[in-house]
Amino acid sequence: MTISVIGAGYVGLVTAALFAELGNDVYCIDTSKERIESLKRGKIPFFETGLYEYLSKNAKEKRLIFTTSYSQSVPKSQAVFICVGTPPSKNGEADLTYLFSAVEETAKNLKDYTVVVIKSTFPIGFEDDLERIVKKHARVDFEFAASPEFLREGTALTDAFHPDRIVIGTTSKRAQKILLELHAVLPGERIICDMRSAQLIKYASNAFLATKISYANALATICEKTGADVQKVLLGIGTDKRIGSSFLQPGIGYGGSCLPKDVLAFIAQANSFDYNFDLLRSVDAINNSQIDKFITKIRTAVGATDNITPNLEKIKIAILGLAFKPNTDDMRDAPSIKIIQSLLNLGADLTLYDPKAIDTARKIFPKQKYAKDVYDAAKGQDALVIVTEWPEFLGMDLQKIKNSLKRAIIIDGRNIYDTIKMKEIGFSYFTVGR
Ligand code: NAD
Ligand code: UGA
């Protein structure tokens, strides 16, 4: 088939790579000329394992074309996948400006019957607005479908080629047929439902993942108060197949461009349908409190517990990990940002390091010092703070790190090391819930 993918971001580029690799003719459209020009030159706007290989191979074989022009591709597409951002607005609701504008530009260029598939995460209640926008500009047959995306950054390609489920949110048999055909060779359960159910599946999934994380974080706090070990407690819980062990890793809370915004948007959405989602308010509150608790932990670790502000003055701290999770350079809503800001407010002298996200970080913290590797970061520091669990940090030579530090203190927001081993090496090792 010929398809258009609107938005050359994380979801758009992965979707374009997937459908081109499956043998379709794919046009990937973005309003950013700069982004499209650099994609044409083979430059990917962010780090995602395997993405460059898939995009360059399919571009070379002419199954994938990058363009800023809707008119070049939409008229000949059987399906248009809308993958633009739906960021949070000030009150937590999803900002649908990009979505409406992408639908409008698509509508202006529809020629024959087309399925307009919304892959962006968008709230229930705006379906009529979307229909109205298209009808204002197009006299042709068209149908909407919601087919939410479940990829995780860092493993986006694996997730796209091996999905657990493919949600096809449309009651139109004609649209269902096109979407089933496009996804035919992919594994995973097919969930065919109406559009609203599909939209809800997406919010409910992300909110459930966030709930698991906040539950683990709440347990970590209880463990700290009672002297129990949260890792053992979670092992004991997660081995029950009904519960499962994934997304039960406690730490500094969930970040990234999706979980935090989707939890807030889901609360706002529920509110607009007259349901007070107190459960999710607590999930969000627990998540926010993780950062404050972590800052207190850092202050305790370095002995700066008095109430004089700034009380971390002259304290040298290395931050290991800036990306919101490993294997990405994305720092959208990364916990590291709040941690760095709080420590700077307390007067700390920071050195920052991340295997991939330093370029991103420089745009947010242009005046900070950046290290070239973990050992460089550790040199002469009072403490080392682990913010992201990069494999590189797991594999580092801890004896060498200890010798580089001024004081052998590690505050670990991701519980990546064995507590006994750390004690044996001679570290004062602070963790979450152990
Ligand atoms: P992104 O910010 O990385 O990319 C969005 C792209 O859309 C940008 O390149 C932007 O220039 C472009 N754009 C904006 N308006 C446009 C328009 N009118 N026409 C053409 N291009 C336009 O966004 P993302 O992270 O890929 O997220 C997209 C959507 O998918 C969001 O709703 C998000 O919640 C959802 N989602 C994201 C992920 C993820 O891991 N990032 C996973 C699942 C779902
Ligand atoms: C998340 C979902 O996992 C995807 O299924 C979804 O498609 C995507 O959001 C989206 O809608 O955009 P992503 O944001 O890439 O994917 O990353 P996750 O792996 O979910 O991690 C999110 C945050 O939770 C990270 O900060 C991570 O460190 C944190 N986390 C994750 C924990 O603190 N504990 C855990 O056990 C797992």
Side-chain angles (χ1 to χ4, degrees):
M1 288 187 209
T2 298
I3 66 166
S4 296
V5 173
I6 316 288
Y10 286 86
V11 173
L13 286 177
V14 172
T15 303
L18 170 79
F19 286 127
E21 183 67 17
L22 296 182
N24 302 285
D25 289 327
V26 180
Y27 289 83
C28 185
I29 303 169
D30 202 286
T31 40
S32 160
K33 276 200 189 102
E34 198 189 335
R35 183 162 280 212
I36 291 298
E37 283 315 311
S38 62
L39 280 162
K40 281 182 181 167
R41 289 195 306 272
K43 209 168 169 295
I44 314 292
F46 45 81
F47 170 73
E48 182 63 47
T49 305
L51 187 57
Y52 170 78
E53 287 76 5
Y54 278 110
L55 291 179
S56 53
K57 174 183 168 226
N58 283 288
K60 210 165 150 197
E61 290 169 7
K62 303 214 171 352
R63 278 193 303 274
L64 176 57
I65 288 167
F66 297 107
T67 177
T68 52
S69 158
Y70 280 72
S71 61
Q72 189 187 349
S73 73
V74 172
K76 54 186 164 208
S77 297
Q78 282 108 307
V80 174
F81 286 84
I82 301 204
C83 307
V84 299
T86 46
S89 51
K90 279 208 176 86
N91 59 3
E93 286 172 13
D95 173 355
L96 301 181
T97 318
Y98 303 110
L99 178 65
F100 287 154
S101 133
V103 168
E104 182 158 21
E105 286 311 306
T106 301
K108 287 181 190 163
N109 291 284
L110 291 175
K111 206 161 180 205
D112 292 315
Y113 174 81
T114 314
V115 195
V116 181
V117 191
I118 318 274
K119 269 189 107 55
S120 302
T121 305
F122 77 112
I124 286 178
F126 297 91
E127 305 77 13
D128 292 347
D129 298 288
L130 296 178
E131 291 267 341
R132 220 174 297 121
I133 292 172
V134 179
K135 282 184 177 148
K136 191 173 146 201
H137 296 283
R139 298 271 167 273
V140 298
D141 234 7
F142 70 92
E143 262 156 336
F144 273 111
S147 184
E149 178 57 60
F150 300 98
L151 67 80
R152 292 160 298 171
E153 289 177 28
T155 51
L157 271 308
T158 314
D159 292 341
F161 281 95
H162 305 278
D164 289 335
R165 77 295 213 187
I166 293 161
V167 175
I168 295 180
T170 169
T171 47
S172 149
K173 293 279 177 235
R174 192 173 177 189
Q176 283 171 12
K177 188 166 174 279
I178 291 178
L179 289 174
L180 285 169
E181 235 175 272
L182 267 170
H183 292 93
V185 298
L186 296 176
E189 188 84 26
R190 269 53 173 166
I191 296 161
I192 299 173
C193 56
D194 60 285
M195 197 155 155
R196 286 194 160 193
S197 302
Q199 289 164 259
L200 209 55
I201 287 169
K202 177 61 197 176
Y203 279 105
S205 299
N206 273 1
F208 191 75
L209 294 173
T211 304
K212 281 189 91 174
I213 299 169
S214 279
Y215 187 70
N217 282 325
L219 287 179
T221 303
I222 294 174
C223 285
E224 284 179 6
K225 289 180 188 291
T226 56
D229 178 344
V230 77
Q231 295 302 148
K232 295 286 180 212
V233 173
L234 291 170
L235 184 66
I237 297 172
T239 40
D240 183 330
K241 288 191 187 63
R242 295 170 302 173
I243 297 171
S245 57
S246 60
F247 276 76
L248 278 182
Q249 185 57 43
I252 46 180
Y254 55 80
S257 68
C258 290
L259 260 45
K261 86 155 163 72
D262 288 348
V263 167
L264 293 182
F266 201 12
I267 295 171
Q269 220 175 135
N271 226 19
S272 73
F273 285 94
D274 206 20
Y275 179 70
N276 184 3
F277 219 146
D278 269 340
L279 172 67
L280 287 188
R281 286 187 211 283
S282 300
V283 167
D284 178 54
I286 291 169
N287 198 54
N288 292 332
S289 71
Q290 287 310 105
I291 301 276
D292 296 339
K293 287 196 191 118
F294 194 59
I295 298 295
T296 305
K297 205 164 276 178
I298 295 172
R299 289 175 54 189
T300 309
V302 298
T305 46
D306 51 40
N307 283 327
I308 312 156
T309 308
N311 58 7
L312 286 179
E313 244 173 9
K314 298 206 176 74
I315 302 284
K316 294 180 75 182
I317 297 174
I319 305 287
L320 295 193
L322 305 168
F324 83 98
K325 64 186 277 194
N327 300 316
T328 178
D329 57 1
D330 194 351
M331 284 183 67
R332 290 180 287 178
D333 228 334
S336 65
I337 298 175
K338 287 187 194 143
I339 292 170
I340 291 166
Q341 264 156 0
S342 300
L343 294 177
L344 289 175
N345 290 343
L346 291 167
D349 175 354
L350 300 183
T351 299
L352 315 181
Y353 175 69
D354 187 283
K356 290 280 179 209
I358 288 182
D359 287 346
T360 320
R362 279 191 206 278
K363 291 179 198 140
I364 307 168
F365 299 110
K367 291 190 185 140
Q368 290 310 302
K369 285 175 278 182
Y370 291 88
K372 64 177 194 302
D373 59 34
V374 282
Y375 306 105
D376 183 34
K379 240 182 262 161
Q381 305 287 342
D382 288 289
L384 199 140
V385 172
I386 311 268
V387 173
T388 316
E389 68 280 31
W390 280 94
E392 183 177 323
F393 305 157
L394 259 169
M396 66 194 188
D397 181 340
L398 288 165
Q399 191 60 56
K400 196 169 157 190
I401 292 287
K402 183 173 171 257
N403 298 342
S404 302
L405 287 166
K406 189 160 84 190
R407 294 156 75 189
I409 300 172
I410 293 187
I411 307 103
D412 179 358
R414 301 290 186 173
N415 288 357
I416 63 176
Y417 304 116
D418 183 80
T419 45
I420 296 169
K421 190 176 160 207
M422 294 301 272
K423 203 170 172 185
E424 279 168 9
I425 301 175
F427 279 111
S428 293
Y429 180 49
F430 298 80
T431 63
V432 181
R434 293 190 290 174

